[in-house]
Amino acid sequence: MEIRLNDWILEVDFDRTSKFYNDMDDEIQCDCLSCQNYRLYLKKNNGVRSFFQQLGIDPFKDGDYTSYGVPENGRLLYLGVYHIVGVIVSGPTVITDMWSNVNLTKVEDFNIGFSYELRCVDPDFPEPIIQLEFEANLPWLLDKEWAE
Ligand SMILES: [Zn+2]
């Protein structure tokens, strides 16, 4: 299935991607406050959730993401990656050093790009692999105060 997102045209194997996420354990979820806040945001944001789901990603599983710094003006910065079975038909394939120069895909509070640079990829993830990278400045939604 071909998906066009700003600078990228991706050929995504939706079935193999979603099968990988479906087969994953739920129990690897981190319980720290930052991660709880991240998941609560996803629960409340259909737009972001359906963006990930159209690619076959279950954003509640597997993602390697982490928050940076402390909340500012009620928002906390998250950076992370998810993986997709597929190939980049056209568009940048390396974005680490040019993050601010690529035409990122904006989905609500998320800025998203794609590359072949892989990190934190599950050794069982089916090839070929595209890495989805994101930064997201998310509102703090938990009743509890942020704490490290
Ligand atoms: Zn965590």
Side-chain angles (χ1 to χ4, degrees):
M1 153 177 97
E2 190 173 278
I3 296 183
R4 286 166 183 267
L5 295 161
N6 294 19
D7 281 358
W8 289 276
I9 299 174
L10 309 177
E11 180 62 39
V12 171
D13 189 331
F14 178 85
D15 292 339
R16 287 167 75 211
T17 304
S18 57
K19 182 177 186 324
F20 180 84
Y21 283 91
N22 288 339
D23 289 349
M24 276 194 82
D25 238 328
D26 272 325
E27 286 161 26
I28 55 169
Q29 292 190 339
C30 173
D31 243 354
C32 79
L33 288 177
S34 292
C35 292
Q36 286 182 39
N37 187 65
Y38 180 83
R39 294 194 300 265
L40 182 58
Y41 175 91
L42 289 176
K43 277 189 192 122
K44 293 186 170 209
N45 264 275
N46 297 333
V48 174
R49 240 180 20 246
S50 51
F51 174 82
F52 283 123
Q53 284 162 354
Q54 67 162 344
L55 299 169
I57 295 169
D58 178 346
F60 292 98
K61 294 185 182 176
D62 174 55
D64 197 88
Y65 49 83
T66 184
S67 65
Y68 279 87
V70 300
E72 276 181 48
N73 302 318
R75 285 180 178 263
L76 186 59
L77 179 66
Y78 292 81
L79 302 175
V81 299
Y82 289 104
H83 298 99
I84 303 165
V85 186
V87 294
I88 297 173
V89 176
S90 74
T93 57
V94 175
I95 57 174
T96 304
D97 297 331
M98 47 185 278
W99 180 253
S100 52
N101 296 324
V102 287
N103 190 10
L104 297 169
T105 297
K106 293 194 194 317
V107 185
E108 309 214 5
D109 300 297
F110 279 66
N111 289 317
I112 294 168
F114 302 90
S115 78
Y116 285 139
E117 298 161 284
L118 300 181
R119 56 179 194 277
C120 307
V121 66
D122 189 305
D124 296 326
F125 203 90
E127 295 187 343
I129 304 172
I130 301 170
Q131 179 160 283
L132 178 159
E133 309 199 20
F134 72 82
E135 61 176 23
N137 202 17
L138 303 184
W140 189 256
L141 300 171
L142 294 180
D143 290 336
K144 296 172 214 163
E145 287 284 310
W146 179 86
E148 201 123 33

